[in-house]
Amino acid sequence: MTAHRSPLSAHGAPVSFEFFPPKTDEQREALDRTVRLLKPASPEYVSMTFGAGGSTLSHTVDAVRSLRSKHALDAAPHLSCMGGSRAEVRSLIEDYKSLGVTRIVALRGDLPSGMASIGDFRYASDLVAFIREETGDRFRIEVACYPEVHPQANDALADLANFKRKIEAGANGAITQYFYNADGYFRFVDAIRKMGVDVPVVPGIMPIANFSQLRRFSDMCGAEIPRWLAKRLTAFGDDASSIRDFSADVVADLCRRLVEGGAPGMHFYTLNRARPTMAVLERL
Ligand code: FAD
């Protein structure tokens, strides 16, 4: 039987989509519309982010339930441990078991301002080890990694060693922070392979919808926007359609390079919007 590839499938590589949990009815309806538009790309799974310190704790569980039941998608929760206790994490894991979840994206998260205690876990590696202790091989565990180096790392080599700790603690795969420089990804993968780490490293892809928002995010998370890209986007001013087309071309070229260079898939940061991700997928 011939497999029919959807017009939205990405250059033959598996895709996953990341969403954040909606909090109001309006946001829930908007996410439903986004999911319906993206579903034809047949994502391998979709993931739902988690606010540190429990702020969106129940929203994440509810949103995962809805993606699984309403949209029949393999939905994976993110679970960040910063500020959380072992008991809280254990109870969340129980919720996810009862929903039939098979994959968790395990993160440290960041301490929200005003929250004094880091809780029972210091690093994502502690969370991975805890999930393994509690549940054995029940879940596939993804962790985060940073081809352009995590902003709080002492240095690039320490960051690589810390990434390896998460794999040794039991993670099965990694998703990168977004980037626009493919060489950084390939160098990162080369470096960890030399350290004996053989898990799949899926690039996180950030389609560009709003340049000022992207600049803000990038400042916070340490992702570099190359000068040529920033300059071109700035020069378009308010010309939204030129920004849209140019950005989609740039991000689609990045995806093509990554997949041709061996990336095992692509994880799209959708920010709950369908169009910017669809524009990239359509070009692939
Ligand atoms: P860690 O792996 O613990 O690393 C954090 C820092 O500590 C790094 O600088 C590392 O080098 C250092 N470190 C690690 N172990 C050690 C050690 N043993 N000794 C000394 N230093 C060490 N945040 C959310 O709040 N919710 C989300 O849903 C979410 N989803 C994300 C999804 C992806 C794919 C990515 C890339 C990030 C996501 N984040 C999310 C952001 C993430 O929580 C932050 O980047 C956070 O600052 C680090 O999380 P981590 O899991 O990478 O931490």
Side-chain angles (χ1 to χ4, degrees):
M1 198 170 82
T2 315
H4 290 282
R5 192 179 292 169
S6 135
L8 281 183
S9 94
H11 219 51
V15 294
S16 49
F17 298 127
E18 180 173 311
F19 304 112
F20 62 83
K23 293 181 193 152
T24 63
D25 285 344
E26 206 181 345
Q27 288 177 0
R28 271 184 277 279
E29 280 159 27
L31 178 59
D32 282 340
R33 280 195 297 277
T34 292
V35 171
R36 274 194 287 272
L37 286 167
L38 290 176
K39 206 176 158 186
S42 309
E44 185 187 8
Y45 72 98
V46 294
S47 80
M48 188 53 72
T49 64
F50 183 87
S55 57
T56 60
L57 194 145
S58 60
H59 296 297
T60 301
V61 180
D62 291 346
V64 165
R65 182 182 296 113
S66 153
L67 285 171
R68 297 184 74 84
S69 62
K70 202 192 291 182
H71 297 285
L73 285 167
D74 181 6
H78 293 210
L79 211 172
S80 58
C81 57
M82 179 61 85
S85 69
R86 283 167 175 266
E88 280 163 353
V89 171
R90 188 175 289 124
S91 139
L92 270 175
I93 293 173
E94 286 306 317
D95 286 347
Y96 292 134
K97 271 191 197 163
S98 69
L99 290 179
V101 164
T102 56
R103 180 188 311 242
I104 288 178
V105 184
L107 304 140
R108 184 197 69 174
D110 294 300
L111 201 60
S113 54
M115 184 177 272
S117 159
I118 63 163
D120 289 347
F121 304 91
R122 181 143 196 195
Y123 298 113
S125 52
D126 303 330
L127 175 64
V128 174
F130 180 72
I131 298 173
R132 284 285 174 247
E133 260 164 52
E134 294 276 313
T135 64
D137 288 334
R138 170 75 172 70
F139 296 104
R140 179 180 166 86
I141 303 178
E142 310 289 344
V143 289
C145 63
Y146 304 84
E148 295 179 347
V149 184
H150 185 264
Q152 290 156 11
N154 283 345
D155 60 52
L157 293 181
D159 208 30
L160 286 166
N162 293 331
F163 171 66
K164 188 177 180 194
R165 285 177 216 274
K166 297 195 272 197
I167 306 305
E168 286 168 348
N172 305 100
I175 307 168
T176 75
Q177 182 59 280
Y178 67 87
F179 55 85
Y180 296 101
N181 177 358
D183 289 334
Y185 168 82
F186 292 126
R187 293 278 171 196
F188 178 84
V189 174
D190 278 353
I192 60 159
R193 298 291 179 247
K194 284 187 185 132
M195 295 166 78
V197 174
D198 62 359
V199 300
V201 177
V202 174
I205 305 293
M206 180 72 92
I208 303 169
N210 174 329
F211 181 44
S212 47
Q213 185 191 45
L214 179 71
R215 215 192 319 235
R216 239 187 3 263
F217 281 167
S218 304
D219 285 347
M220 283 188 305
C221 69
E224 186 183 52
I225 308 176
R227 180 181 158 88
W228 62 267
L229 179 54
K231 289 276 182 195
R232 288 292 293 275
L233 289 169
T234 308
F236 287 127
D238 295 331
D239 181 355
S241 87
S242 296
I243 294 179
R244 242 189 341 262
D245 288 346
F246 174 73
S247 309
D249 287 344
V250 168
V251 177
D253 280 349
L254 172 69
C255 293
R256 218 172 274 121
R257 259 202 84 192
L258 291 168
V259 171
E260 286 167 4
M266 279 170 277
H267 180 80
F268 284 88
Y269 296 108
T270 71
L271 304 179
N272 290 12
R273 297 162 74 168
R275 300 276 166 213
T277 295
M278 285 170 71
V280 174
L281 290 177
E282 278 157 3
R283 282 164 171 76
L284 297 171

